[in-house]
Every structure is written in structure tokens, then in C-alpha cells.
Amino acid sequence: MALILNEDQQLLKQMAGDFVKNESPTSRIRQIRESGDEVGFSRELWGRMAELGWQGILIPEQYGGLGMGYAEMACVLEECGRKLVPEPLLSAVLLGGNAVLLGGNEAQKSELLPKVADGSLLMTLAYQEKGSRYSTSQVKTAATSAAGGYAISGEKVLVIDGHVADKLVVSARTAGVVDDPDGVSVFMVDREAAGVEIVQQTTMHLRNSAIVRLHDVEVGRDALLGAEGAGVALLDDVIDRATVGLAAEMLGGSLEAFEMTLEYLKTRKQFGVLIGTFQALKHRAAEMFVELELGRSAVAGAAQALDSGADDARALVSVAKARVSDLAVLVGYEAIQMHGGIGMTDEHDIGFYLKRARGSELTFGDSAFHRARFATIQGY
Amino acid sequence: MSDLESFREQTRAWLEENCPQSMRWAPRKRGNPALADDLVWGGKKQTYPNADAKVWLERMAAKGWTAPTWPREYGGGGLDKAQAKILSQEMSAVRAKPPLIGFGLTMIGPLLVANGSEEQKLRFLPEICRGEIRWCQGYSEPGSGSDLASLQTRAVVDGDDYVLNGQKVWTSYADQSDWMFCLIRTDPDVPKHQGITFILLDMQSPGVSVQAIKLISGASPFCETFLDDVRVPRDQVVGAVNDGWTMAKALLGHERTMISDAFSESSERNQLVELARTYIGEDGDGKISDQVVRDKIAQLTMNKVCFDLTVGRTKEAAKIGQQPGPESSIFKYYATELNKDRHSMMVSVLGPQALGWEGEGFEQDELDVTRSWLRSRGNSIEGGTSEVQLNIIAKRVLGLPE
């Protein structure tokens, strides 16, 4: 077991925290929103993250990565989550990169993973459809046999960083009916391929997202990741890993919002006293602290389980996502309430954290979804 | 073979030979081990329905292994940390029950080892190790619950004695105990924390009377203790006069750890799930048929997983010699709230079968669920209320202003 950070991990986290604080204050995400910047992140900063090796943390050394684990990835993502850093780590590495790492054959891995690791290739996962909620088997997008491969048609929504991804990992049905767990296949589609239409979406929580429409897009057999028809298991494995990354990011966001609120309680005066002297607020602050500590444990437990290949990893992923979903929303709500009127204004940054909290809660399954999944895994 | 390896071999062989079969846990123990009825709390009122319990205690006490790390001259085993760990592992391996439990070994004993006078150590520690005296804790008073330091029981010097007057309440098992360690006000004219002294009191002293308190659960684990002109020799003060709060803080911290430990035992099975299958039923896939109950059980179970992981973080830190982090401040609060929620949920799952108090129409297990639920409501009151715990976090961890 390794639930606490070793010295190397502490150093990595410290460096990531300093980098984020200096290079990516929360004001960045406001600037991006105001300017209507279509890229939505900085390629220059992305390059500097690559110099630090962040894109390669999870990629094995033989494919040009650092061969580290989720404990390390969580250190970086927690710090990024603190400032709502918009660079596409979640999509490029945890979704796209993992799809290749877990589903790809040797040729696919050796061609693509080094480019993921050095930041030169942006990939993402396009699995969600309108109305599919958190299911990986609710797939209407269809892939039919065509000369030399497949032709794919359908619409994917809320594709994280889909507006910039060079390669889209797309789930499509090669057999079966809509929610059949069998018959889903996973393909890689170039954004430049004929018939690909990408429309940027504007999200409440400022997560760069896009609709991806596929109109008879032809791909070769070598575009298939994993076995035909066995895509749901691959998708679930990929999303589990991305979920732990997202949970770490959510923990960071919750910590930041909590610390901002704590600072407010220590400086804001009403009725002639600091509002932090009121026991009604002290107890709620202390309860948030309790939840933050449990959330940190949950994220550490899930990361550790993935890194050690534990049998109960999937259950612990659900524990973590359920926990931080409730945590992030609690802290978001309390942060707004404790900030009072200023917390309701767009001018104050605290609102970004509530929106991101709920947006992340509703990504990869909310707490109710993960409780049900946990119960199923546990056999009840 | 290293010294430790040979110690392990000898220990294993000795335990195998000396631990009676009836003093070993059944392969699947269930429930709180402290409630097992052949565990020995010691003291003059101890009875031995199971004669093996006495044999086991005497054999272990003769080795000094009821208090393995205490010095041998005080009746302990004189083991170092590594040896004590081996003893504990080997006892687990043969499923040995503890030969002796109680406040003597876990609370007052360690305090005396660290802070007692040489005379006190020689007088009390060997008797504690042999299970000859049982202790209770006299802290709370009718007017001093969460605000413990406001206690009023007075001690006035008279010759070589103190004369004590006042009333203690919530003294666990005072009616079964031979001695009490208590906090007594020795100086009423200084700030409240500075006028308190830690005193050892013989429960047989003239002027001590004890009355059991019946709880909402029907059980009576606590007593009221009345002190009327009780004479206590002045050499029964532990630490310095008026420095009792320092002693008490050390022990209170220990009590909170013990309470959270008691609730953090990992169980191999999920009792709530088993009850739900029985009382609510399951569908064709083996899922609990009531979705809301299933969701609540998953929530409680996940809460427990998160709590155990948090305790795990502190344990890992301790292993590499780090002090417990701020996470340890949540243990007492969260463990007790979780335990209350779990018991409350068990009653919900039983439904009308939780309505029994005694007699016909109810199984013993059902009556136990109801009684345990009622008892659990006290978890967030005893040993520092949840509200006090939150105050401590707000002040010490979060630094919120007074």
C-alpha cells in the first residue's frame, strides 16, 4: 500500500504546484472565456508541460514515457485542478493515450504513444451520445463494413477537447442493438478524414468540448483498437483511469475553493466581528475539512489500486468518483453561500469552482451512478 | 537464526502449548470483541464462568505478557517494539484472545509508567499486570460534560490526606472497579485548567458510593459516583499538584483513539447487506430489491472504505516515523457519526422487526440491533462530542478566529 506520497512524489507535486501557480492563475480561464479563443488553451504552455514530462507520466518508458503511475499523475492533476488549468491532459493522455495503451496492438502503440508522451499528438475519446448518459454500451453510432475497413456514421457529444484533437477515438456499433454490451467497437478517426464534422460546444463549466459528427467516415482495419465487438470493456477500462485523473483534479479544485473560503472567513467582518468567529460557519468549515480528508484518501486509494493492479480497483474508482463528486459540489455550494453576495457575482472567481465541480460531477458518472456500480461490483 | 527469529519460534511454541482452546477466537469472529463474555477485565469482582480464562491470564501474567512492553520490575514483559510486534502477530496466528483488557492496561498503566512516582509504579503496575485491580475513570461531572475543565469536585488538604467532596458521572463500570483515577479541583482560585489534580482513589474508601445509570438502551454500563468526605493520602497524586490537566489531555487523546479504533475494525462481511437480503429481499440477479436501501447501503459502505483509507494514511505515516497529519483530527468525529448511521440503517432495514424490546415475537439478533442502535446514539457524546470535535478542527487545524 502507498496512500501517502514518497519524497519523489512530494517533489513532483511541489514543482507542479509552483508551475501552475506561476504560469496558469485562475484568471487565464476567464481571459479565454472573454476572448472567445477557439483553441481554448496555450500550445506554448502545453509544450512546456511536455518538457516537464507530464504527458508521458503514464506512458511506459519503451514508448518514450516516464513509466510512472496514477499516484504521480494524480499529483499533477490535483495541482492543475486548483487553477482549472485548461491544457488537455485529461483528453490527450488519460482518454486518448490510454485507449491506445490499453487497446492498441504493438504497431499502434509504437507509432502513437511516443507522440502522446511528447505532447505532439492530441487524442481524445468520443464515446458519449445525446441521451447515453454515463453508459458505454448506449451506442447508436454505427460502423458498417466497407472496402478495406469500415464506414462510420453517427454523432458524439461533449467530446472533451474534441475541437483540437488530431485523432478521435470513437465508439461505434458493429453488431447488436443500442444498449447491448457486446457489439461495440473502438476506432481511431483522424480529424482531417472526409466526413468528419466538429462543432465546438460552450459548456457551463468551461471544459473545452465538441460535438463530433461522422458522415460515412471511412477507416481502415488498422483503425480498430482491440477486438471488433469487444469495445465496452476497453471503454470502461479507459474511462476508469480517466475518472481517477478527473477525481484528482476535482480534489484540487475543492481544496482551492475551500482555502479561498477559509481565507474569506478570516477576513470578512459583519456585525463588527470576523464571520469566521461564528460557530454556525466554523462547524460547516470543519465538516468540509473532514470531507476533504476523506476525499484525499479516496483518490489515493483508487490511484494506488490502479498502480498495483488490485482486484478491487474498479470498486475503488467508484468510491473515489462518488466521494469527490459529493465533496466538490458540497464545497462549491458552501463556498458560494459563505462568500455571500460577492460569491454570486461573475466578477469573483469562486463561481468558476462551483460550475467546474458540477460539470465534473456529471462527467464519467455522478455519485448515484457510482454507488449503484459499486453495489453491483460488491454483489448486491 | 537471528534473535528475533528465535524469539518468534519460542513464542509460537509457547502460545501453542499454553493458550487454552476455549481462549481462541472462533475462525469467523463477529461483533465487537470487547463484548465477548469470557474476556477478563480483572479486579476483585471478576468471576470466571470459563475456568480457562483464569488459567490463560495467570500463564500470560507470569510471562509479563499482559503488558508486554512494560519493564519487568513492574510486572511487564520488558519486550522491545519489535518483540512486542512479534508477540502480537503470533497471538493473532493462534487466534488467542487477549488474556486481560481494561483501563488499567490501556490508560492508567501507561500514564504511571511515564509519569508515576517509583512508589506508585511498584505499588500499582504489578497488580494491574496480574489483573488484580480494575480501574474506572472519574472525569465527567453533572455540570461538566463537554466543558470538562469546569469540574467542581473539590479536594482540601488535611494533614497527610486530601478530603474529597463532589460527584462524578458517566464513570464506566464504577460498580465493578476497585480503583478510580480522577480529576479533582485542588485550587479554585486560578484559571480552571490550572487548578486540577490527577488523583488515584480506592473505591473501598469510606464515603464513596456508586449508583448505576440505566441508559435508553436498557443497559447500565455507566455509574454515578458520590464522594462525601473521602480521605485520600496525598501520595496518590499522579504528576504535580495542579498539573492534572496535562495528565488528562494525554489520556483523553488516547481515549478518542480507542473509540475510533473500536469502530474502525474491518469486517470480512457486510452485515447491512446480509440483513437487507433477509428483511427486504433480492431480485433475480441477487441485487437488493429496494433501490433506495441499496443506494444507502452502498453510501455507508463507501464511507467506511474512505474512513479506513484515511486511517491507513496515518498508519503509513507512523510506520516511516512521521507524526499523524491533520487527517487524524477527523477520526473520533467521523468514526462515531458513521457508526450511528450504520446502526440507524440497520433498524430501518429490520422495519417492524426492530420494534421489540424483549420477550416473544422477536429473535435475539433483532433485539440486539435495536439495543445497539440506542446505545450508538451516545457515541458522538462520550469522549468529546461531535460538536467539540468540530470546534477543535476549526480552531487547531483551520485556524479560524475565536
Side-chain angles (χ1 to χ4, degrees), chain B residues 186-203:
Chain B
T186 38
D187 187 345
D189 301 322
V190 292
K192 61 184 178 180
H193 293 93
Q194 295 167 22
I196 295 171
T197 298
F198 194 100
I199 291 176
L200 308 179
L201 167 71
D202 185 344
M203 295 294 278

Side-chain angles (χ1 to χ4, degrees), chain A residues 1-4 266 276-277 279 282-283 286-287 289 293-294 296-297 318-319 323 371-372 375-376 379-380, chain B residues 273 277 287-288 294-295 298-299 301-303 306 309-310 313 316 327 333-334 387 391 398-399 401-402:
Chain A
M1 286 291 270
L3 296 168
I4 56 173
K266 292 178 185 178
T277 59
Q279 199 174 43
K282 279 185 183 177
H283 280 191
E287 277 165 2
F289 172 78
E293 288 298 325
L294 293 162
R296 174 173 298 292
S297 307
S318 277
V319 168
R323 192 93 213 167
R371 284 196 294 275
T376 302
Y380 59 87
Chain B
V273 171
R277 287 197 202 285
K287 289 183 181 169
I288 294 165
R294 178 173 183 251
D295 181 73
Q299 174 80 67
T301 308
M302 290 170 130
N303 289 352
C306 291
L309 286 167
T310 309
R313 278 165 55 199
E316 279 185 23
E327 78 280 354
Y333 168 76
Y334 199 75
E387 289 72 17
N391 283 346
L398 304 181
E402 291 280 320

